[in-house]
Amino acid sequence: MVNFLLALIVLRNNPRNIINKVFFLISVFLGLWGFSLLFYQFPLIFSSLAWIKMTYLSASFYLIFVLAFSFIFPTAIYRQFWRPAAFFSLIFLAVTIWLLFFTKIWIIDVVVDPQKGLQTIWGNGYYLWLLIIWISIIWTFINLIIKSRHSSGLRKLQLKFFSYSFVLFSFLVTVSDGIVPIFFNDTRLFYTSAIFSIIFSGVTAYAILKHRFMDIHLVVARSISYFLLLFSFGVFYSLTLFLCATFIIAEPIAIGTYALFSLIALAVAFSFQPLLAFFQRITDNIFYKQNYNESRLLYDLALLMASTFSLVELTDKLLEKIMAAIRVSFGAFVLIDNKKIFHLVQRGYAGKMKISDGDISRFVKQTQIVLFDELPENALKETMRRLNINVIIPLRVKGETEDVLIFGEKLSGNPYTDKDISFFQVFASAASAAIKNVSNVEQIMRLDELKSEFVNVVSHQLRTPLSVARWNFEMILDNVFGKLPPKVEQITRDTYLQFVTLNRGLNNLMAVLEIEKNEVLMKYDKIDIDQAIIKEVISDLAEVIKEKKITIKQENPIARKFSLDQKKIKAVFEIILDNAIRYSPDGSTITISQTLRKGKRKNEILISVADRGIGILSVNKEAIFTKFFRGEEAKKMSPDGFGLGLFMAKKYVKYHGGDLWFEKNKAGGSTFSFFIPERTGK
Amino acid sequence: MAISQTKKILLIEDDKPTVKIVKLMLEQEGYEVSVAGDGEKAIEALKNPADLILLDLLIPKIDGFQVLKIIRQEKKLKLPVVVFSNLSRQRDIEQAAELGANDYLVKSEFSAGKLKQKINNFFNAK
């Protein structure tokens, strides 16, 4: 029965496959062998003599098909021997039929011995048949062993199980059906061959379940869970019926009984799914010991993909997670660019994987997941064998295989299951998109870094001659080289101021780039704002102040040191005062005031610069602090400006925890103010 | 400004116009200025004692960072080294500080007067 069941499952799994067909026939004849032996012992129909002949005929067919199987499983080999093998099989079959049904030189009769029970009387023909079957057995065994030696991984295990169980079975049957009857003149042990056939079936079934023999792993697991389900239904239904009939109804079936049955049927229907899931869990736990939750794993991997922006880090973390879940000996992401490896991230592999350009070109041709065990002999299989790869997962973007993910054997020695494959399929599509995105981000970052380097060098190259020119003009204007005629001095001063403006613009541009890249570092010192910032800036801008005949009025200077980044706050104040001077009419007054005030938590210093300039439109209140913004009036009055100063100034004040804003003055012009809270510590 | 004893400054700078004007500015302040036009010459010049080094970073043969490293780690010299460059990125400033620079002056941020004042302050503060 077990054999017939096995035969049907294998055939159902893939009816078109020649291997499955032959295995189906092997199992059928093994089953027939068992049946014949049963009827030989208990001849319900026909005689024991007829059944023993049937037993031998089944055994012969079985051996012929096993021989055929050894030629075609797992791959067809030695095609040149197929014809001799078929010829041998025909002779084998002809001799068997002739000996069994047309002569009395093999089986003479079946008698019942008073002491030994049922006995088969043989003639010398039996020896001839034994000789032929052992030729067939040895031939089969040689085929299987040669194949086993040339296989690896899963196939090797399958062949090992199959060939050993086959030889063990053949040997045991020869002892029980040949050696014992011949030497002890007793055929009572005939029935044991039926038991041995169950052993053979058991070992084969183990090979199927443990090593995905012929792909029916899942089918068998599911069939058993379904069987358990039906069985429990039967018990439940019968018991319920029995209990109802005995204790509740105890009467001929009435309408109420039908209603009760309907309720029971409903209960059965409703409990079907939970019970099915329950038994599937049990069978899955038995057959997939290293189980993992596919959706949970995918969720974890998705989180990783969404939060990692370094390609090497991402691929390494993904490998770590997958390998821990599926328990794989090694894994690697082979990231390919222009048919060459540009990143190889591997885990668990001894040494560095030696992947050639040829291997890469074979990898990128793959459109589907490749399993070593299911691949025919070709160059890719050779590569996989050399690198011990068991599975290749192509990572495809826009229909092209751009990268591949590879894994070695599972640590358990088990093959990859259909569940693993379906997980890989889902993961591959998500991973290929994530890798593409991260590569793009990395490329942008590399370009950004290049741009930063470029800007840095260019600004350096521009600033150096500018600095030299400024210093030279300063020395000239300081009369180091002698006093200049008034007209020359005026022209020199004008030129010098142009250079100063250009220099400041370049400095601001560099500072803004640093702000954009979040590379601004704060360097706090205790600073006297009045002396080290306000007076310093006024002194730095003395040339333009003088030029425009501006009066600077200072109110309430505060003699107190504040913890701040001197360079940055000086830049802030310089920008504000420079703007005030630039946009004020000649001869006007600019008022600088300092106030120490109580803030929300700490003391704050408030600095204001009030001018009588062109003023700023209310609509530009926010826009004025954005990059490259310049008001229309400002452009008219001073066309050369970068529009970066106020953006930068506001950022610097914000870095100090303060703020910068402006108000329109009632008497015209505007007041720019900023405050900085007092810092504790340095 | 009067200095009781002439202080020696080693200016490590490859840009000739810069050398010319900076040397003039410093000499005007009364310093004795020697010049090294590249990294190798700078290392060579370390044999002669100086009171301060003004070091540009982008110089031929051995760059300024390397020169600084040699001064501090190989030669173990303790004299003040002031970086004088137009590289103004924070990472450059930090790297110079880590290698032992005493100060970092971005050329474009200084006028001639401020530069002279900064150097004078350096000596006066000692």
Side-chain angles (χ1 to χ4, degrees), chain A residues 391-457:
Chain A
V391 55
I392 297 177
I393 302 146
L395 303 175
R396 293 164 66 77
V397 177
K398 289 181 188 165
E400 294 287 323
T401 299
E402 300 225 331
D403 309 301
V404 289
L405 172 59
I406 54 188
F407 287 112
E409 268 192 317
K410 281 186 163 187
L411 291 172
S412 60
N414 284 348
Y416 287 93
T417 61
D418 293 342
K419 181 186 170 186
D420 299 330
I421 308 301
S422 74
F423 160 74
F424 287 146
Q425 274 164 347
V426 178
F427 172 69
S429 58
S432 43
I435 286 172
K436 187 80 191 162
N437 288 342
V438 173
S439 314
N440 287 343
V441 169
E442 281 201 345
Q443 203 170 357
I444 288 167
M445 283 163 77
R446 273 198 298 275
L447 283 175
D448 203 39
E449 182 59 24
L450 273 176
K451 188 185 84 183
S452 165
E453 275 303 319
F454 176 74
V455 170
N456 199 36
V457 171

Side-chain angles (χ1 to χ4, degrees), chain A residues 90 107 170 209 224 329 633 670:
Chain A
L90 277 175
I107 294 169
S170 304
L209 298 173
I224 293 173
S329 57
E633 287 301 309
S670 33

Side-chain angles (χ1 to χ4, degrees), chain A residues 449 453 456 460 463-464 467-468 470-472 474-475 480-481 503 507 514 519 521 536 540 567, chain B residues 15 17-18 21-22 24-25 28 58 84 86-91 94 107-112 114:
Chain A
E449 182 59 24
E453 275 303 319
N456 199 36
H460 178 271
R463 290 202 286 190
T464 299
S467 301
V468 173
R470 271 189 310 114
W471 295 330
N472 278 324
E474 281 165 16
M475 299 286 269
V480 172
F481 309 108
N503 186 58
N507 285 350
E514 264 182 1
E519 282 186 351
L521 285 183
E536 274 275 327
D540 288 351
K567 204 167 136 183
Chain B
D15 183 61
T18 308
I21 183 72
V22 174
L24 179 68
M25 289 188 305
Q28 222 192 5
L58 293 183
F84 189 52
N86 259 327
L87 292 180
S88 60
R89 285 183 306 184
Q90 287 292 345
R91 67 177 94 161
E94 277 174 57
K107 290 173 186 171
S108 67
E109 291 170 4
F110 284 85
S111 64
K114 295 279 170 201

Side-chain angles (χ1 to χ4, degrees), chain A residues 645-677:
Chain A
L646 288 173
F647 166 78
M648 192 177 112
K650 182 139 180 154
K651 287 277 181 190
Y652 280 171
V653 174
K654 289 262 182 193
Y655 290 150
H656 283 81
D659 202 4
L660 167 65
W661 67 96
F662 81 92
E663 287 149 326
K664 277 176 91 169
N665 294 337
K666 280 178 191 164
S670 33
T671 301
F672 275 83
S673 309
F674 67 93
F675 79 88
I676 296 166

Side-chain angles (χ1 to χ4, degrees), chain B residues 34-51:
Chain B
S34 56
V35 178
D38 62 50
E40 277 178 10
K41 284 181 184 146
I43 304 298
E44 188 65 27
L46 291 175
K47 287 176 187 163
N48 305 316
D51 298 300

